[in-house]
Amino acid sequence: MAGLVFMGSPGFALPSLDALVAAGHDLRLVVSRPDQPAGRGRKLRPTEVSARALELGLPLCRPVRMRDPGFLAELRGTEAELFVVVAFRLLPGRILKMPSLGAFNLHGSLLPAYRGAAPIQHALMDGKASTGLTTFLLDRGVDTGGILLQETTPISTGDDLGSLHDRMAVQGAALVVRTVEGLLAGTLTATSQPEGNWPLAPRIEADTRRIDWHRAANMLHNQVRALSPVPAALCRLHDRWLKLFATRVEELPTDDSAPAPGTVLETGGEGPLVACGARALRILELAPEGKRRMRAADWLRGYKLEIGEQME
């Protein structure tokens, strides 16, 4: 039986690892990031993929440097024909050349759209009605290799990052297994990615999280759901941070005024209503600085928020 090396770290990769094991493939090595300090005690914690590999009794390597000679020797020693990569990192050229059938990656978009570290988030931020998954052969570029298989994924109006991420991880696992089996059987060949001005998906940075109330309410709503539950969109109230997790776009109350963006218009019901550059945003779930996530209605019962106050 042909041997595989699986490379991945976060939860998005877990269904793919589990699916390959369930399908009976010969996983000769699992590669993941080194354990990282986490929690209040800053104790070392394995990645989700490392934890599952240990649970399943699979051979595991957690290299600090991908070019470490010992790690490279261990990879060569597997004599694996195919490397499967899901949510890991860029691989040096010398690693890409090792397996006879190459290395492929699962990406959370329909490439070449949304190349980069955060494809699911950016599809949500752009208000897309659908996105998809791609398996593609790895080369020296960033998400530029030949496409193997693709599947479309609908995005519902109720989706946020958490729900869409989890659904795509499961759908992607089936695509990974189909890709492995097609490559091993010699029935699957790659096609070049079309050229064009495609949207990119750069890493989520601090400024990506910040709410700008001058933007239209629908754009802010998409920003909130693209970052929920983590790392969460941010705004400020009285020099304190608020994390926003769930919102709804609404019309401005009927009157003759044109409230400044960020003005609190209502403080009852399900949560505060805040004026935006166009229309208004109802905050439904939030977390005050240093506090847990809660319904905005519950927060209002303990916080004296006045109509006319300004969010930044």
Side-chain angles (χ1 to χ4, degrees), residues 116-130:
I120 304 176
Q121 293 93 324
H122 283 277
L124 283 164
M125 276 190 274
D126 289 347
K128 297 296 184 182
S130 65

Side-chain angles (χ1 to χ4, degrees), residues 26-199:
D26 180 14
L27 284 164
R28 297 182 183 175
L29 185 66
V30 174
V31 181
S32 195
R33 289 186 179 273
D35 298 354
Q36 298 293 319
R40 291 185 177 180
R42 307 302 292 166
K43 293 183 178 179
L44 290 178
R45 180 178 299 172
T47 68
E48 290 171 276
V49 164
S50 290
R52 183 61 55 84
L54 292 169
E55 177 185 331
L56 295 172
L58 297 171
L60 174 66
C61 184
R62 291 167 276 194
V64 175
R65 294 186 305 109
M66 297 300 289
R67 291 180 173 83
D68 179 78
F71 169 61
L72 295 175
E74 186 170 4
L75 270 184
R76 290 191 195 94
T78 65
E79 298 182 347
E81 287 88 345
L82 182 63
F83 290 176
V84 181
V85 183
V86 183
F88 192 51
R89 57 185 296 179
L90 289 176
L91 301 181
R94 68 184 71 179
I95 291 179
L96 296 177
K97 295 175 182 177
M98 284 184 189
S100 59
L101 295 176
F104 79 86
N105 183 67
L106 173 69
H107 189 74
S109 78
L110 295 174
L111 289 173
Y114 296 114
R115 290 173 178 156
I120 304 176
Q121 293 93 324
H122 283 277
L124 283 164
M125 276 190 274
D126 289 347
K128 297 296 184 182
S130 65
T131 182
L133 294 138
T134 302
T135 53
F136 68 99
L137 290 176
L138 287 166
D139 58 18
R140 298 299 296 271
V142 178
D143 303 329
T144 56
I147 291 171
L148 295 167
L149 291 174
Q150 291 188 309
E151 283 188 0
T152 300
T153 301
I155 301 177
S156 75
T157 56
D159 270 326
D160 62 11
L161 174 61
S163 62
L164 185 57
H165 168 283
D166 292 352
R167 194 167 70 247
M168 289 178 68
V170 174
Q171 183 180 356
L175 200 65
V176 163
V177 173
R178 285 175 52 205
T179 302
V180 166
E181 293 174 351
L183 289 173
L184 295 183
T187 58
L188 186 59
T189 56
T191 58
S192 299
Q193 295 189 29
E195 297 182 1
N197 187 23
W198 300 94

Side-chain angles (χ1 to χ4, degrees), residues 256-272:
D256 296 329
S257 64
T263 303
V264 176
L265 304 174
E266 295 178 7
T267 60
E270 296 175 89

Side-chain angles (χ1 to χ4, degrees), residues 201-223:
R203 189 178 305 278
I204 300 300
E205 305 289 355
D207 59 352
T208 317
R209 300 176 61 191
R210 188 69 188 270
I211 292 288
D212 178 0
W213 295 105
H214 291 82
R215 301 175 73 208
N218 67 304
M219 297 175 70
L220 296 182
H221 172 69
N222 287 333
Q223 179 184 0

